[in-house]
Amino acid sequence: MDELLLRRVRLWPRRPTGDVVDVLVRDGRIAEIGTGLAVGPGATTVEGGDGVLLPALTDVHAHLDSTRLGLPFRPHTAEPGLAGLIRNDRVNWRTAGASVEERATLTLGATIASGTTTVRTHVQVDADCRLERLHGVLAARDAHAARARVQVVAFPQSGIVRDDGTADLLDAALREGADLVGGLDPCGYDRDPVAHLDVVFGLAERHGVGVDVHLHESGELGAFTFELIAERTAALGMAGAVTISHAFALSSVEPARQAALIELLAEHDIALTTVAPGNREPLPLEALRAAGVRVGLGQDGIRDYWSPYGNGDVLERVGQLAHRAGYRYDELIEGCVDMASRGGRSIVESTAWSTVPVGDDAQHGLAVGAVADLVVVAADTVTAAVMDHPPRTVVVHQGRVIARDGAVV
């Protein structure tokens, strides 16, 4: 019987005066919460230092194959627009000075050490790199297999219709270990939504996997693609298995149209992910939550050929999300943390995002019975943890300590 005792932590506190308790983890789940808890011989005991205990974080929109974290800083050289960003990555990724495996392994380790134990990463598959980048990320996933759950999306970043051979490569990627099939702007980039989505959903049906589509398309064009994706989801009975990433259209249409799209997402159980971009209006987070739409947070690229931003710390990105949404009240900021923990996990596991308070959630929260994926943050409230994103005292995955004081173990 494996036991872990976290001493002197505070569960999801809104006030600095929140109760200090001990949490006993047994066989990968929270077994007891109280004071003066007894443990058996051989149990691991970790001092929490009165820190904030949170469910471990999730990053449900990463690009581990393109990261340059840990390498010398490189000036941004992309031409304006989506095509320019895609071309900049495709031209330069082999010149990084370290392999995809090395870069992805380091960045995934930094993400884990900051308190994230669930990751969904998109990996470029195209006629240029073929499956090389996929193999590098799969190796990084293997290196951290005991520390995090990592889902890999075979992602056609250069398009499907306009990049000859990519459809067959996506099929090969799914046979070689990718967990989902991705898509990219079926109208705006590939300019043939029927052919693009035929490939994406055809592969999903053939391999029995989920779908995660990058949708930068805004306004009515993006809204039209929402509807096409919903039609395919319904036709194939894929409710709960489809995600739209970015979803810029939702914040760039009229209010009545936005409400109809949210209803469409809820009806077909299509999830959304956001990276809290600085150049777009934020998603209507409260309306999505009220409608029961699953929403998760990701870091996107981390210091790569698309952007110089990012460091692997999801809690820092939570602060960006709250800032972009204009949130000041604790309960709203706490909602952003919930989105970056239980919300993301609901996407990866295709389960409902629980409306039960985090402290009472016996599945993915902090109640007895919950899975012991946990992080202790050296702060006095949940909001303080977001504002300061201070050191992570300890990170726990499936009941086992996998990081301490900012470093994986």
Side-chain angles (χ1 to χ4, degrees), residues 259-285:
L261 290 175
I262 291 174
E263 184 178 340
L264 184 72
L265 294 169
E267 177 185 355
H268 298 288
D269 193 12
I270 296 171
L272 299 183
T273 67
T274 183
V275 299
N279 62 345
R280 299 280 182 166
E281 286 298 311
L283 293 181
L285 301 178

Side-chain angles (χ1 to χ4, degrees), residues 32-383:
E32 293 182 58
I33 299 171
T35 57
L37 300 181
V39 294
T44 300
T45 300
V46 176
E47 296 298 329
D50 295 1
V52 171
L53 183 67
L54 306 174
L57 301 170
T58 59
D59 181 342
V60 285
H61 190 102
H63 289 270
L64 291 175
D65 61 319
S66 62
T67 175
R68 290 178 49 88
L69 192 66
L71 296 176
F73 195 86
R74 180 186 186 279
H76 186 65
T77 55
E79 298 171 355
L82 179 63
L85 291 164
I86 291 171
R87 187 162 48 250
N88 192 50
D89 182 284
R90 189 160 174 166
V91 168
N92 291 297
W93 71 273
R94 287 190 176 89
T95 68
S99 69
V100 171
E101 177 182 348
E102 291 168 332
R103 292 183 282 119
T105 300
L106 185 147
T107 299
L108 182 55
T111 299
I112 292 166
S114 70
T116 296
T117 62
T118 301
V119 175
R120 175 182 287 186
T121 180
H122 299 261
V123 178
Q124 186 161 331
V125 173
D126 63 24
D128 169 57
C129 67
R130 302 182 68 81
L131 303 185
E132 182 178 346
R133 294 167 73 147
L134 172 73
H135 293 153
V137 172
L138 292 178
R141 178 171 73 178
D142 289 345
H144 289 291
R147 301 185 182 99
R149 175 180 182 178
V150 179
Q151 278 191 336
V152 175
V153 183
F155 173 48
Q157 184 163 272
S158 298
I160 296 174
V161 177
R162 66 190 293 175
D163 197 53
D164 191 43
T166 294
D168 289 337
L169 288 166
L170 291 171
D171 183 60
L174 291 166
R175 285 187 273 107
E176 294 197 24
D179 302 292
L180 298 94
V181 59
L184 171 77
D185 293 350
C187 297
Y189 190 75
D190 243 352
R191 305 185 70 81
D192 191 339
V194 173
H196 186 101
L197 294 174
D198 276 350
V199 171
V200 172
F201 279 88
L203 288 171
E205 183 179 28
R206 186 182 314 156
H207 290 274
V209 299
V211 166
D212 193 327
V213 179
H214 279 58
L215 199 58
H216 307 97
E217 298 165 2
S218 59
E220 278 301 320
L221 181 65
F224 172 63
T225 307
F226 266 61
E227 293 168 338
L228 293 179
I229 291 172
E231 287 176 2
R232 304 282 182 137
T233 302
L236 295 177
M238 290 185 64
V242 176
T243 303
I244 297 176
S245 291
H246 300 308
F248 293 154
L250 200 58
S251 299
S252 55
V253 293
E254 295 299 318
R257 184 70 158 131
Q258 181 187 88
L261 290 175
I262 291 174
E263 184 178 340
L264 184 72
L265 294 169
E267 177 185 355
H268 298 288
D269 193 12
I270 296 171
L272 299 183
T273 67
T274 183
V275 299
N279 62 345
R280 299 280 182 166
E281 286 298 311
L283 293 181
L285 301 178
E286 294 166 77
L288 289 164
R289 185 68 162 123
V293 177
R294 293 171 295 132
V295 186
L297 181 66
Q299 298 181 82
D300 211 359
I302 297 174
R303 193 171 294 184
D304 59 12
Y305 300 100
W306 282 58
S307 163
Y309 296 97
N311 60 9
D313 189 347
V314 172
L315 196 56
E316 185 173 303
R317 188 56 62 101
V318 172
Q320 182 174 321
L321 176 70
H323 178 71
R324 288 290 296 125
Y327 290 161
R328 291 180 172 86
Y329 293 105
D330 284 21
E331 59 266 29
L332 295 176
I333 296 167
E334 290 167 6
C336 293
V337 180
D338 189 19
M339 184 178 126
S341 55
R342 296 192 302 170
R345 196 160 288 111
S346 74
I347 293 174
V348 169
E349 298 185 0
S350 296
T351 56
W353 179 5
S354 177
T355 57
V356 174
V358 173
D360 298 329
D361 183 356
Q363 183 173 3
H364 292 132
L366 298 174
V368 170
V371 175
D373 274 23
L374 308 166
V375 56
V376 179
V377 185
D380 51 17
T381 69
V382 177
T383 297

